[in-house]
Amino acid sequence: MIKKLLIANRGEIACRIMRTATAMGMSTVAVYSEADARALHVRKADEAVCIGPAAAAESYLNSAAILDAAKKTGAEAIHPGYGFLAENADFAEAVGKAGLIFVGPPAQAIRSMGAKDNAKAIMAAANVPIVPGYYGADQSVSRLTEEAKNIGFPVLLKAALGGGGKGMRIVRKAGELAAAIDSAKREARSAFGDDRLLIERYLTDTRHVELQIFADRHGHAVHLFERDCSLQRRHQKVVEEAPAPGMSPELRRKMGAAAIAAAQAVGYEGAGTIEFLLAPDRQFYFMEMNTRLQVEHPVSELITGQDFVEWQLRIADGEPLPLAQSEISLRGHAVEVRLYAEDPDNNFLPAPGAIAHLKWPDDEPCLRIETGVEAGDVVSPHYDPMIAKVISYGETRGEAIAGLVGALNKIEITGPGQNLRFLMHLLTAKPFVEGTANTAFVDGLTPEAFALSEAQRTQILAAAARYRFAADDDLQAAQARKSADPHSPWADASGWRLGGSQRRRLQLILEKVAYQVFGSPEPDGYALEIDGRKIEPAGTDRPQVVKSPGHLHVFGCGGPAVVEVYDPLQAAASASLSGSSFAAPMPGKITVVNVVAGQQVIAGDVLVVLEAMKMEHAIVAPVDGVVEQLFVSLDEQVEEATELLAMETAK
Ligand code: MV4
């Protein structure tokens, strides 16, 4: 048995592999770049070695540094995870030559499957169904044109060394072919250093169905059923599930047999995935083979009750497969989503950053969260901005989906961007719920598709207003307790005003839209009006609100929302904030003094209130800081531009 394992990866997969290796009694070695020095996978490992600067090319892709770390720590085996060097045949070979165990397939199998044309030739020879097309060596335009005409338009041009849709071109008629070949070859040359193309019949309305396989060194190969990964955004998987919706036992058997044949055809060992395109007529076609453990492997683990990393480690150590095909059974349904630090409202650009607040749903047996970060960590700008994988299991597909939506609704995160609302939209979209969403579904969505509904807006604004009013009351009460005369009417936070209305006013901004919110204190909280509309009292299932400087983060309304608390005079106050002093924006009477000299305040805190023109004007802290000096006192009449207070702003 392997005693010490080096994990040549980072983030959630490194933590996930360590969890199993530790459970198996292994000692674990993490490798990390300088940017990851304080990362969770480093903290979790028994030992850790810095392998280079932040750039992946100089660290996580640095074979020599990784091998050196293995040698230095006495690791006997290296697990590559996924991505980085996981499908690098040269690395797999170098690990073997260094006398270490590579937890993965033979280098030859990686090489064979690395080129689409070669992979198709091997599959065709093994009678694995492939998409009709041409994948020969003659790459002349005349030959490619002749073959395209034989296949029939529309055809798909694919780069032999391409992947994830890179270098793909749909050609709908003969006249477009020459230009498409030229541009596809140019792109392939620059992206992969090789411009070989293959041509396939373009299949429409397809599903992406992939089979998990394992093979050992003793000639055994099994499949552990299929996953449906049709929900992809620009060829990046977003939602994965097992088993595939609408799969019949007969089709599952046929696809499983084809996947095993594929594994045997390449002399496979370890964990692998055979990707198929499933057409509406239930014909399926080999697309590509992934010679690594996939990101989405947990959904297959959950429906089979197996630990695939344990299987990998045992097989890499020469053990036979833990189970025969007849002993592998399918139960229930699992769905996974990839929670990313990206901004769906900004074309899904990465939105890395420090995690100021992170709260997962309570542990449940049917919920699994795989993550490489904790509150206080940073989602790095140097690498894939994955925050976590969230996986839900249910006896039925409906239960699994409902559990996942409920869990996502409870996730609280502030700091980096996140795609929770997008994920929840996909999981509740009719085509997905009905199990009919194909590979074009996600890319066909417009941003409006996952915009906030009016009901969600109202729920979010109400939660923010209730939180803010309560916070002001608490602050007022705290001030009163500290002030010389705790029973002064000015200390009364109830919003009571001599002869005046008890209504409190807030201006909130949600997604760049300003709302007037009025609150009237009542025994069980505040009765709210938003832009003149009376709001239903809060129910029992209350959204969670977390404060950050100048913003309120509302969770539990179909995904996080950020509400800015705005006061017209805040703009005036911050506009008049010259250096670190405040000037009265107009003549009036000081009716509330909420702070004392030396008090720490955060952006949005009410400092003093000026009554002018029969209205209350809150002077708020435009930024975090400390109140240096108060120049006014309660009930004082002040002229316009009177200095009210001085504040030292946080650096
Ligand atoms: C196809 C196809 C239709 N017809 N091949 C996308 C990247 C790589 N996985 C292969 N892909 C496709 N190959 C033929 N002959 C449609 C796709 C495709 C796709 C496949 C699976 C999941 C998502 C996809 C999104 C767009 C296109």
Side-chain angles (χ1 to χ4, degrees), residues 131 156 158 165 200-203 208 232 235 277 287 439:
V131 181
L156 198 57
K158 288 182 180 177
E200 295 181 343
R201 179 185 311 149
Y202 180 56
L203 305 175
H208 172 124
Q232 300 189 16
H235 304 295
L277 277 175
M287 208 167 19
T439 54

Side-chain angles (χ1 to χ4, degrees), residues 347-368:
N347 198 25
F348 289 87
L349 288 177
I355 301 172
H357 173 88
L358 179 58
K359 188 169 178 291
W360 300 113
D362 295 340
D363 273 349
E364 297 172 25
C366 296
L367 184 65
R368 181 167 156 181

Side-chain angles (χ1 to χ4, degrees), residues 374-619:
E374 293 176 333
D377 288 349
V378 174
V379 177
S380 174
H382 299 286
Y383 314 109
D384 183 68
M386 179 185 280
I387 298 169
K389 295 170 345 194
V390 186
I391 308 107
S392 166
Y393 174 84
E395 288 303 318
T396 67
R397 182 170 189 260
E399 277 176 29
I401 293 172
L404 189 50
V405 171
L408 295 179
N409 204 31
K410 291 183 186 122
I411 294 174
E412 298 177 15
I413 181 165
T414 69
Q418 42 71 33
N419 62 342
L420 279 162
R421 186 174 300 285
F422 170 66
L423 297 173
M424 292 172 81
H425 173 79
L426 295 182
L427 293 171
T428 52
K430 194 161 178 288
F432 174 72
V433 172
E434 289 177 346
T436 60
N438 64 23
T439 54
F441 170 63
V442 176
D443 286 331
L445 291 174
T446 58
E448 291 64 48
F450 43 94
L452 281 175
S453 67
E454 268 321 298
Q456 287 173 328
R457 282 180 174 282
T458 300
Q459 200 185 13
I460 290 161
L461 292 163
R466 290 192 173 98
Y467 176 92
R468 184 62 204 220
F469 286 140
D472 288 353
D473 292 347
D474 294 349
L475 180 67
Q476 195 72 46
Q479 292 308 324
R481 285 193 295 277
K482 274 194 277 188
S483 78
D485 172 8
H487 301 294
S488 146
W490 302 110
D492 176 354
S494 69
W496 182 88
R497 289 287 175 270
L498 185 62
S501 138
Q502 296 191 19
R503 277 174 24 123
R504 310 273 293 277
R505 183 177 71 93
L506 267 182
Q507 276 213 350
L508 300 180
I509 294 174
L510 173 58
E511 294 189 332
K512 299 190 177 63
V513 177
Y515 297 82
Q516 289 271 28
V517 183
F518 287 94
S520 306
E522 300 206 337
D524 58 350
Y526 277 84
L528 299 179
E529 247 182 65
I530 299 178
D531 282 1
R533 286 178 299 116
K534 285 199 181 316
I535 303 302
E536 287 300 310
T540 51
D541 194 12
R542 298 200 169 196
Q544 292 304 307
V545 180
V546 172
K547 185 175 195 171
S548 72
H551 297 90
L552 296 177
H553 300 261
V554 181
F555 303 100
C557 304
V562 183
V563 178
E564 192 183 336
V565 181
Y566 176 78
D567 181 284
L569 275 179
Q570 176 170 346
S574 49
S576 69
L577 181 73
S578 54
S580 59
S581 69
F582 293 78
M586 62 192 75
K589 179 180 174 186
I590 303 298
T591 55
V592 175
V593 176
N594 247 352
V595 291
V596 295
Q599 180 173 335
Q600 289 226 333
V601 293
I602 67 168
D605 281 353
V606 176
L607 305 173
V608 296
V609 176
L610 184 77
E611 194 170 73
M613 299 183 295
K614 294 200 180 311
M615 284 182 67
E616 291 191 334
H617 302 277
I619 308 294

Side-chain angles (χ1 to χ4, degrees), residues 48-64:
V49 179
C50 183
I51 51 172
E58 299 173 73
S59 50
Y60 297 105
L61 291 171
N62 183 342
S63 304

Side-chain angles (χ1 to χ4, degrees), residues 7-17 56 60-61 78-88 91 102-105 212 227 236-237 240 271 273 290-298 309 312 336-340 368 370-372 383-391:
I7 296 94
N9 215 300
R10 63 179 301 282
E12 68 88 13
I13 191 60
C15 297
R16 185 260 173 282
I17 293 165
Y60 297 105
L61 291 171
I78 295 178
H79 195 308
Y82 52 66
F84 295 129
L85 294 170
E87 296 187 285
N88 184 309
F91 178 66
F102 177 73
V103 183
Q212 176 69 54
R227 295 184 285 264
Q236 291 300 313
K237 295 169 182 171
E240 305 105 337
T273 297
N290 299 317
T291 54
R292 66 179 185 270
L293 184 66
Q294 303 266 118
V295 172
E296 61 269 24
H297 74 274
V309 170
Q312 285 187 294
E336 173 184 275
V337 289
R338 301 187 189 194
L339 175 55
Y340 265 74
R368 181 167 156 181
E370 297 288 358
T371 185
Y383 314 109
D384 183 68
M386 179 185 280
I387 298 169
K389 295 170 345 194
V390 186
I391 308 107

